[in-house]
Amino acid sequence: MKKALKILLVILIAAVLVVGAYVAYVFLSYHRIEDNRKAEINNAAGAAESLEAGRELAVTTWNIGFGAYVQDYSFFMDGGKESRAESEERLLENMEDITGTLDKFDSDLYLIQEVDIGGTRTWHVDESRIIREHFGDMSYAFAQNYDSPYLFYPLASPHGANKSGLVTLSSGQITDSVRRSLPIQSGFNKILDLDRCFNVSRIPVSDGKELVLINGHLSAYTTDPKVNEKQLNMIYDTMLEEYEAGNYVICGGDFNKDLLGDSSKCFEGVTLGSDENWCKPFPVEDIPDKISLVAAYDDKTRVPSCRNADIGYVKGKTFVCTVDGFLVTDNVKVVGTEVRNEEFMCSDHNPVTLNFLLGKQNN
């Protein structure tokens, strides 16, 4: 009996040491990517020198869910099962579907989030390279969002270590692009919600001004509402600074806030509403003057921009809402906006397109 107890004690001590060593590794290896880091830029030879003022333009934003979220995919962080793309082959097939879907929109600008550049969950595939090569006639900027330590969970198929970021595409040349670090929660929760940033790209406009295009992906799993408030305030400050300098400013992306206020009133079968941390109502009352929220919703089609990933997508059963959209300064004329109904075939998000004008409209 004593021998058995000693063996159990040794096993217990060994387990504690292993867990302690892993926790130490996670926190010691954790780091934030520096603020004001220059983003990678690749201007296409055929890109225009400037965007044309007075001509209707289109920008599409899409969180591609690191290329893994086919329609039947569920994610462990949302209460589902999967932690990785099913296989490298299926990931590559899905990336082909994603680039093909973006292609058919024929937008002048694209803002793409959750683009992995080599990680366990995406079989070390560089998704940014796939997008850059597919849209070789467009200018390209990439800002890394995070570089996470290895997560040994779920035990059967660990999420692993992952690098992900934001891709901005433009039919005009990008003269400058900078990564800005967003405020995040401190303590253990920073490991779950990872690093966060937004990317600021500058594109000349034919009237001598610049379009300052912001690509953002705000925190999803933070438990402190003050964090989201600080993130939005930082974006507002950046937008107003550029607006006061005479530039046009558009911020698009995944805000992880319910842009419709209460999506449960908009979409059939939705009952969960703002119980989800990533789908609390967007605080429209805090939006400064000169900036407007553009949230896409059509009462006839009722297409949401995002689904919960606790289960695969089942229309009328899966929780859906709209968290993807745009903030614009009041010198940007909004022509229209639309959530593209892709039925969540390639991602847990549907793309959202904004049509707009810069400067005076051409006759």
Side-chain angles (χ1 to χ4, degrees):
M1 179 65 71
K2 288 183 178 181
K3 185 176 181 180
L5 288 174
K6 285 182 179 179
I7 293 172
L8 287 174
L9 182 60
V10 168
I11 293 173
L12 179 61
I13 292 172
V16 170
L17 289 173
V18 168
V19 172
Y22 172 67
V23 172
Y25 151 75
V26 168
F27 278 91
L28 290 173
S29 61
Y30 177 86
H31 65 282
R32 295 206 68 186
I33 299 171
E34 64 269 24
D35 193 14
N36 287 305
R37 180 178 181 177
K38 288 289 186 180
E40 175 190 351
I41 299 177
N42 180 28
N43 277 315
E49 291 186 3
S50 62
L51 297 176
E52 186 179 345
R55 180 176 73 85
E56 185 173 321
L57 301 168
V59 55
T60 294
T61 182
W62 197 9
N63 180 333
I64 64 170
F66 60 90
Y69 287 78
V70 291
Q71 199 177 51
D72 61 354
Y73 188 88
S74 66
F75 189 53
F76 77 103
M77 287 288 286
D78 291 330
K81 298 178 180 179
E82 285 82 15
S83 60
R84 308 177 180 184
E86 182 181 294
S87 65
E88 181 178 353
E89 181 182 14
R90 194 170 190 192
L91 174 72
L92 292 172
E93 289 175 356
N94 203 43
M95 287 301 300
E96 185 176 348
D97 289 340
I98 286 169
T99 52
T101 298
L102 287 169
D103 232 352
K104 72 181 182 183
F105 299 149
D106 195 27
S107 293
D108 303 279
L109 306 152
Y110 294 98
L111 303 173
I112 310 169
Q113 303 86 42
E114 277 202 52
V115 181
D116 277 19
I117 57 173
T120 310
R121 67 186 184 181
T122 45
W123 303 89
H124 303 284
V125 170
D126 186 349
E127 297 173 346
S128 69
R129 179 186 58 79
I130 294 172
I131 294 171
R132 184 176 69 247
E133 291 179 355
H134 185 90
F135 292 95
D137 59 341
M138 300 188 78
S139 296
Y140 159 98
F142 177 82
Q144 188 171 334
N145 206 7
Y146 58 79
D147 180 359
S148 71
Y150 198 98
L151 178 62
F152 275 102
Y153 189 84
L155 295 178
S157 179
H159 193 53
N162 299 287
K163 298 178 182 179
S164 191
L166 312 172
V167 167
T168 299
L169 299 172
S170 170
S171 59
Q173 293 192 12
I174 299 172
T175 58
D176 186 61
S177 190
V178 177
R179 178 196 188 276
R180 297 302 317 275
S181 294
L182 283 166
I184 61 170
Q185 194 166 343
S186 59
F188 182 77
N189 201 72
K190 69 183 181 182
I191 304 299
L192 298 177
D193 202 32
L194 306 174
D195 205 349
R196 293 285 170 173
C197 76
F198 63 94
N199 182 220
V200 183
S201 297
R202 297 179 178 276
I203 306 164
V205 181
S206 61
D207 61 3
K209 299 182 180 182
E210 290 181 312
L211 170 61
V212 177
L213 189 61
I214 299 176
N215 188 350
H217 188 186
L218 276 60
S219 289
Y221 300 108
T222 180
T223 58
D224 182 0
K226 289 290 184 182
V227 170
N228 294 116
E229 181 181 328
K230 291 176 181 177
Q231 291 181 347
L232 285 171
N233 284 338
M234 185 175 176
I235 290 175
Y236 295 150
D237 289 345
T238 302
M239 294 182 71
L240 290 175
E241 181 180 350
E242 294 295 342
Y243 173 80
E244 294 299 330
N247 294 319
Y248 308 105
V249 191
I250 297 175
C251 173
D254 178 359
F255 292 95
N256 276 309
K257 285 281 174 288
D258 188 345
L259 304 189
L260 304 179
D262 185 358
S263 285
S264 65
K265 296 179 180 178
C266 302
F267 303 115
E268 181 183 358
V270 176
T271 57
L272 193 56
S274 59
D275 288 343
E276 291 290 335
N277 282 333
W278 51 268
C279 200
K280 300 290 185 185
F282 191 98
V284 292
E285 66 278 2
D286 296 333
I287 300 175
D289 291 341
K290 310 299 183 184
I291 298 175
S292 300
L293 173 68
V294 184
Y297 178 70
D298 185 330
D299 193 50
K300 294 181 179 178
T301 57
R302 300 195 177 195
V303 182
S305 82
C306 181
R307 71 169 177 93
N308 198 11
D310 55 335
I311 58 173
Y313 178 61
V314 181
K315 189 173 182 179
K317 180 179 179 181
T318 302
F319 169 61
V320 293
C321 61
T322 290
V323 300
D324 308 272
F326 300 90
L327 292 163
V328 302
T329 49
D330 67 4
N331 55 356
V332 176
K333 179 177 174 57
V334 174
V335 177
T337 186
E338 176 187 4
V339 181
R340 306 288 193 149
N341 192 8
E342 296 301 318
E343 296 286 349
F344 305 110
M345 292 298 295
C346 307
S347 171
D348 56 328
H349 292 250
N350 279 322
V352 183
T353 298
L354 171 71
N355 294 87
F356 64 96
L357 290 164
L358 303 177
K360 294 181 180 179
Q361 186 172 2
N362 291 334
N363 293 327

